[in-house]
Amino acid sequence: HAALPRIPAAGTGAPPLMQSLWMIAASALFACMGVCVKLGAGLFSAAELVFYRGAIALLGLWIFVRLRRLPLATPHWRAHFWRGLTGSVSLILYFYSISVLPLATAVTLNYTSPLFLALILAGWAGERVRGTLYLALALGLAGVVLLLQPSIASEQWSGGLAALASGLGAGMAYFNVRQLGRL
């Protein structure tokens, strides 16, 4: 039998199957992170959990940068600062929401970040969008309300609001990444 040709995806040398496997691995690792945060929330605050997560990542990146002798200087330090700040605050809020809410609810509410990113692009960045986008956003936010109403107890509203704020912060961080890409 003839071997199937490997067609690399745009911008990468990896075949599509390998990209899919990486996405599955990333999803599994994010799920494991959520479980570890839920378990660790009984011992540590959300800020401490974010610190430990960041410290481990920083160590790995530091080793990578040193081995490759990569420069760290950038003329866009303000943009990097704002991306880091929005991402860190968003992550603290996300970890807090995981500690207060059922894991599935916290993750689902955090996934509102694309809705907030669309609002940021349309409202704040002044990008031209079609009216159907506003309909899609309204439907998405209505879905969030439906998700919150039947399943969140009165003592969990702070976690629900934190998860939504985390989605907003993540949307802002994605917007900052987009701006960094343009720079």
Side-chain angles (χ1 to χ4, degrees):
H1 64 62
L4 294 174
R6 291 187 176 194
I7 302 169
T12 69
L17 176 62
M18 198 60 198
Q19 289 179 342
S20 299
L21 292 175
W22 280 116
M23 283 191 254
I24 291 170
S27 296
L29 290 171
F30 274 112
C32 289
M33 179 188 72
V35 169
C36 289
V37 168
K38 188 73 169 173
L39 294 173
L43 302 171
F44 303 101
S45 71
E48 288 174 306
L49 292 169
V50 169
F51 172 80
Y52 295 131
R53 179 185 181 265
I56 293 167
L58 181 63
L59 177 64
L61 285 172
W62 183 80
I63 291 169
F64 179 79
V65 166
R66 298 297 292 175
L67 289 176
R68 297 271 181 132
R69 297 188 176 135
L70 298 173
L72 294 178
T74 177
H76 310 294
W77 67 269
R78 284 184 183 94
H80 285 283
F81 171 79
W82 286 111
R83 187 271 175 249
L85 182 65
T86 56
S88 296
V89 171
S90 174
L91 195 59
I92 290 170
L93 290 169
Y94 179 47
F95 283 9
Y96 169 74
S97 69
I98 288 175
S99 71
V100 175
L101 298 173
L103 182 57
T105 304
V107 171
T108 302
L109 290 175
N110 180 262
Y111 283 171
T112 58
S113 59
L115 298 174
F116 288 115
L117 177 59
L119 285 172
I120 291 167
L121 290 173
W124 189 28
E127 297 219 1
R128 297 188 64 180
V129 296
R130 292 184 278 172
T132 54
L133 175 70
Y134 293 110
L135 175 63
L137 288 173
L139 289 173
L141 292 173
V144 169
V145 170
L146 289 174
L147 175 74
L148 289 176
Q149 192 57 34
S151 64
I152 291 193
S154 61
E155 67 273 1
Q156 294 176 324
W157 274 100
S158 66
L161 292 175
L164 286 174
S166 170
L168 173 62
M172 291 172 65
Y174 296 144
F175 176 75
N176 289 329
V177 168
R178 183 175 182 255
Q179 296 302 98
L180 280 166
R182 288 183 172 177
L183 291 175

